[in-house]
Amino acid sequence: MMRPAPVPAPAPVHAAPPARAARRRRFCALALALLLPAPAQAQAQAAAEYAAKAAFIYNIALFSTFPNPDAPLVRLCVLGRDPFGKLLASLEGKALGQAKMTIAYPGSGGDALRQCQIVFVSASESAGVALLAQSAPQEGVLTVSDAKGAARLGIMVELGVEDKRIAFEYNAEAARAAHITLSSKVLRLARAVH
């Protein structure tokens, strides 16, 4: 006895047509793509900003004259929370004239002023910026920060971002007191000189 051929089951009434289902999947994927990378984009922008700031600090050091020009090492210290991550590792051992750059992370402002030729004062240390800025000239230390208003408080180089580029303010009086000279070529690029 022959059995009849199976009849395909009718499609459920509530199922979306294939084209509509595909559009819905694409829309969900697009919505997910727009929502998910926001933190990743912010992290990438911050990393790019601090990579540019690290390169800028190196160039400031390269075009500066320090009180002890014959020192074999120029130590760049990060005081406070390190916003650079691994970015400063690329500066380790780079030439600055006859000297080499080295990176350190001192525990206090006093240690930084005794051990370093350049101190980057992190925004996490903004409460102590004025005190550090007052002490740095006696030690001949170049101070750099990206804390807003740092140059007005006596920090020698205040880094910022303007039109997606690194911009800086320069406190010439503090630098003169520390016997640090910045090349006039670099000074021309300053957004403000105090």
Side-chain angles (χ1 to χ4, degrees):
M1 174 173 190
M2 261 181 107
R3 292 187 185 181
V7 177
V13 177
H14 65 276
R20 198 158 96 200
R23 276 195 308 266
R24 183 177 290 146
R25 279 194 304 275
R26 281 194 305 265
F27 174 77
C28 289
L30 178 63
L32 200 56
L34 290 173
L35 292 175
L36 287 180
Q41 281 181 333
Q43 287 176 346
Q45 286 174 344
E49 177 184 330
Y50 278 97
K53 286 180 179 179
F56 198 88
I57 291 169
Y58 173 75
N59 284 319
I60 290 284
L62 193 60
F63 291 100
S64 294
T65 304
F66 293 93
N68 184 2
D70 298 327
L73 291 177
V74 173
R75 185 170 286 121
L76 166 61
C77 291
V78 177
L79 184 61
R81 194 174 314 124
D82 180 10
F84 295 97
K86 296 178 181 176
L87 296 168
L88 292 180
S90 65
L91 300 181
E92 186 74 44
K94 276 191 110 168
L96 291 169
Q98 299 300 315
K100 299 273 187 214
M101 182 170 267
T102 186
I103 313 300
Y105 301 89
S108 71
D111 289 344
L113 293 176
R114 284 188 295 278
Q115 300 170 9
C116 311
Q117 289 72 39
I118 306 168
V119 175
F120 177 85
V121 184
S122 177
S124 68
E125 302 298 305
S126 59
V129 165
L131 183 61
L132 186 87
Q134 288 173 355
S135 303
Q138 291 91 357
E139 301 295 333
V141 174
L142 173 64
T143 53
V144 182
S145 182
D146 60 356
K148 205 125 184 99
R152 293 187 188 280
L153 293 173
I155 294 294
M156 295 168 206
V157 178
E158 177 187 330
L159 300 178
V161 178
E162 196 172 87
D163 297 326
K164 297 183 180 183
R165 297 177 65 195
I166 300 298
F168 75 102
E169 293 186 21
Y170 184 66
N171 189 314
E173 185 180 329
R176 268 193 305 275
H179 304 290
I180 294 172
T181 308
L182 184 58
S183 165
S184 60
K185 292 176 184 176
V186 177
L187 278 178
R188 280 187 238 134
L189 304 174
R191 173 174 56 192
V193 176
H194 304 283

